[in-house]
Amino acid sequence: MTHLDLAGDAPSAADDGVWLTCIACGETFAPFDDLIYTCAECDGLLEVRYADLPTWGDFEGRGVWRYCDALPFEAGVSLPEGDTPLHEVPDLEDDLGLARLRVKHEGMNPTGSFKDRGMTVGVRVARELGVDRLACASTGNTSAALAAYGARANMETLVLLPSGKVAAGKVAQASLHGARILEVEGNFDTCLDIVQDLASAGEAYLLNSLNPFRLEGQKTIGLEILEQYREEEGGVPDRIVLPVGNAGNTAALYKCFRELVESGALATEDVPKLTGVQAEGAAPMVEAIEEGWADTERWAEVETIATAIRIGNPVNAPKALPGIRETGGTAVAVSDDAITSAQRDLAGEGVGVEPASAASVAGLRTLRERGVVGSDERVVCLTTGHLLKDPEAAAAAGVDPEPVPGTTAGVRAHLEG
């Protein structure tokens, strides 16, 4: 693996051993002095860096803040989050013909998605900066998480959603937690363009995954998977398969693994292969992997049942594409029908997820059929959001109710008929 050198002598910009570095030009910046999201010199993406990196023995407690030695603070604005289950799915494992398959269910976080991990860190940074308004563009889950954590921190929250394109369960969450919701004419990428303009003008603190502190919280998914897997399986998974929208999780997991390698806590040869899955109607990352590009090309039109990954311009692609390539992974696009089928497969194991989450299992099935993933592999699929995030999709994928008479005899007759 390349792209190391994550720790070392702190530059003058550092604050208590923490600073920001541009991944494109290497310029360094103070972490908590200004509202900064990209490099002031070249507009490249920023990454949080540390003077010291922890090893496994440094962690204690539970949840995201168990890993505070790998984060900018000892504690954040917490509900609390993390400590999500690593499910066994024996029927799916047999059906796919794998040596081992586990499912990391991030839908079990407080607001029902992995976004909570990033918000507990990001909202704490907002407090540190003294801002009074938080903002995000969202396909739904980010808005729900930001609204909840903003409410917890008693901060004004503004969310921009693409009109008519967000699942009802997610809008309801943002609404109940008191966010100001703006329904924008356009898609998610239009919303993000606007939020970036507001953030650049100092009118709000941006908490999309363009914000490097968001990804610090999300990298704890990787730490948790490796610890849980080692404890329960006695090793590390060969591959982690995950849905890709803005590519924040892919970037965050790659950073997690690089830090562990640099600290000596993980051998290079043990780094899991990062494997991204997108819907066919929104697959710029897959296109970039297949074409060998260093960045994605923006898709102006995107459409898929998996609303959480209905994104045509993944802002974290420059961080995530090296993560897929350097770990020996790949990326694959799947149809909406395959996603729905995978959602049913997971539900058959008692694991309820929204459509975007099921994309990981749909992609794994495709890669098994193509022979890209071998039968001897130990795989973890990441599912990112709870079933009730999109109740309409869940109802459409499930079985229909059966009308019966209002008598015991009538019910018996129906069951025997």
Side-chain angles (χ1 to χ4, degrees):
M1 280 172 55
T2 57
H3 302 279
L4 296 179
D5 301 321
L6 294 175
D9 294 337
S12 58
D15 182 340
D16 197 21
V18 181
W19 67 95
L20 295 169
T21 295
C22 174
I23 68 167
C25 73
E27 187 68 30
T28 59
F29 301 91
F32 313 123
D33 287 356
D34 300 303
L35 303 185
I36 181 172
Y37 312 101
T38 58
C39 178
E41 299 297 324
C42 73
D43 203 35
L45 297 180
L46 300 176
E47 222 171 40
V48 181
R49 298 285 172 87
Y50 304 93
D52 297 297
L53 293 173
T55 58
W56 298 115
D58 295 313
F59 303 138
E60 60 181 18
R62 302 187 67 172
V64 165
W65 293 100
R66 166 179 173 76
Y67 305 107
C68 63
D69 284 334
L71 298 172
F73 307 106
E74 291 186 359
V77 176
S78 183
L79 290 178
E81 48 292 310
D83 199 18
T84 57
L86 189 65
H87 288 297
E88 296 193 42
V89 284
D91 291 342
L92 255 177
E93 183 180 272
D94 290 344
D95 184 42
L96 291 169
L98 288 166
R100 199 71 173 111
L101 176 61
R102 303 292 296 270
V103 173
K104 178 67 167 169
H105 193 5
E106 284 293 291
M108 302 308 289
N109 275 295
T111 75
S113 86
F114 74 92
K115 305 284 188 176
D116 298 345
R117 291 183 185 264
M119 292 307 174
T120 185
V121 178
V123 175
R124 169 62 199 273
V125 174
R127 271 185 170 173
E128 200 77 9
L129 290 164
V131 302
D132 54 15
R133 177 191 280 166
L134 310 174
C136 71
S138 182
T139 55
N141 285 331
T142 302
S143 67
L146 183 61
Y149 282 80
R152 186 71 167 186
N154 295 312
M155 301 176 79
E156 180 186 352
T157 304
L158 177 67
V159 300
L160 277 68
L161 310 176
S163 181
K165 297 292 186 179
V166 177
K170 302 173 187 181
V171 178
Q173 284 182 283
S175 174
L176 185 59
H177 288 303
R180 187 171 184 181
I181 302 169
L182 305 184
E183 291 192 328
V184 177
E185 293 180 10
N187 59 24
F188 167 83
D189 301 305
T190 304
C191 295
L192 185 56
D193 289 342
I194 295 169
V195 171
Q196 285 183 255
D197 288 342
L198 295 175
S200 296
E203 298 174 55
Y205 184 59
L206 183 146
L207 272 169
N208 283 96
S209 61
L210 183 68
N211 185 317
F213 291 105
R214 268 275 312 272
L215 301 190
E216 291 304 286
Q218 288 168 219
K219 80 183 182 188
T220 64
I221 298 171
L223 292 165
E224 226 172 84
I225 287 174
L226 293 184
E227 282 202 310
Q228 288 173 315
Y229 203 92
R230 182 182 62 197
E231 181 180 340
E232 298 176 20
E233 302 287 346
V236 295
D238 299 306
R239 185 183 301 268
I240 296 175
V241 185
L242 67 163
V244 176
N246 239 344
N249 277 338
T250 311
L253 289 176
Y254 182 45
K255 184 170 188 284
C256 167
F257 299 153
R258 289 156 56 212
E259 289 180 344
L260 289 172
V261 168
E262 189 157 340
S263 73
L266 182 68
T268 302
E269 61 269 21
D270 288 336
V271 172
K273 298 178 176 69
L274 286 172
T275 300
V277 184
Q278 295 193 292
E280 288 177 346
M285 282 282 291
V286 176
E287 180 183 47
I289 287 291
E290 291 177 346
E291 298 294 333
W293 297 339
D295 201 353
T296 54
E297 289 192 359
R298 184 169 182 155
W299 286 28
E301 300 294 331
V302 287
E303 190 55 62
T304 172
I305 189 176
T307 56
I309 55 173
R310 189 191 281 150
I311 293 171
N313 186 36
V315 296
N316 286 296
K319 293 179 177 179
L321 289 167
I324 291 172
R325 292 182 174 122
E326 295 290 336
T327 61
T330 189
V332 65
V334 294
S335 68
D336 280 1
D337 286 346
I339 289 171
T340 300
S341 178
Q343 188 182 19
R344 293 193 188 103
D345 290 340
L346 284 162
E349 296 273 25
V351 182
V353 304
E354 66 169 324
S357 293
S360 61
V361 172
L364 177 59
R365 183 178 294 281
T366 297
L367 294 172
R368 278 291 292 128
E369 290 170 351
R370 294 178 183 176
V372 175
V373 174
S375 61
D376 60 342
E377 288 197 38
R378 298 165 298 174
V379 179
V380 172
C381 278
L382 183 63
T383 59
T384 47
H386 195 277
L387 158 71
L388 294 178
K389 285 287 190 171
D390 194 341
E392 293 180 0
V399 297
D400 294 327
E402 303 171 44
V404 295
T407 65
T408 303
V411 170
R412 284 198 182 107
H414 180 81
L415 292 173
E416 294 167 359

